[in-house]
Amino acid sequence: MSNTEQQYAEMLRDIALAVGPDWQAGRHEPRDAEAEITTPSLDEMATAPGETQTKYRVTYQRVGRHGGRNGSPAPAPLTVWAVTAGGLAEHIAKDVRPYILSSGAEVAVDLETMTGSVFAGFRTAGTFTLEAVQVAEGGDA
């Protein structure tokens, strides 16, 4: 191996060590762990005016190939306000998008068991649990 090839190989190794194993994909840019969605979206509020809002903590076990698989850390928990299960699923889908290679990922939320799954095609691309952290009772619409 020439000196230039060796320098190039060392540079690639240094980059890989600095940014992690999925640096080549360019898609894995997780949100700031301190970020929090403070209110439900306007679309969600329009479909359920005056409904009770719940603040959920979403804890991921695994999401896609880059979050919690093969020893990599799962995405940081997401704390989000939602009114409906569909609205919560939309927030989660937006949060896990950088971890999923498929563009058509769907999220299923079960508020009775406080669990959920991320699907990419016919496969399960992730799982998570939910915790109701706070409830804001709704009023008249």
Side-chain angles (χ1 to χ4, degrees):
M1 180 182 290
S2 73
N3 191 25
T4 303
E5 290 172 331
Q6 185 176 4
Q7 288 175 340
Y8 182 72
E10 287 177 9
M11 180 185 70
L12 289 179
R13 181 184 57 81
D14 291 342
I15 290 172
L17 289 173
V19 297
D22 50 335
W23 66 277
Q24 291 177 330
R27 297 176 57 95
H28 176 57
E29 295 178 17
R31 67 175 155 71
D32 178 9
E34 299 297 317
E36 181 177 304
I37 300 170
T38 56
T39 61
S41 68
L42 292 177
D43 291 338
E44 186 179 359
M45 290 300 293
T47 62
E51 291 294 319
T52 298
Q53 298 178 28
T54 305
K55 184 177 184 179
Y56 294 97
R57 179 175 299 115
V58 181
T59 305
Y60 302 104
Q61 280 74 50
R62 178 184 67 84
V63 178
R65 297 180 184 206
H66 303 292
R69 185 173 169 193
N70 298 331
S72 65
L78 170 69
T79 303
V80 61
W81 284 94
V83 175
T84 63
L88 179 59
E90 287 178 23
H91 291 304
I92 295 169
K94 187 182 296 183
D95 189 47
V96 300
R97 192 169 291 136
Y99 295 90
I100 307 293
L101 296 177
S102 173
S103 62
E106 295 184 27
V107 174
V109 173
D110 185 347
L111 293 179
E112 287 184 20
T113 62
M114 298 298 276
T115 60
S117 298
V118 179
F119 297 99
F122 295 107
R123 297 179 182 226
T124 302
T127 57
F128 55 88
T129 58
L130 300 168
E131 175 187 356
V133 178
Q134 187 176 356
V135 175
E137 293 295 327
D140 294 334

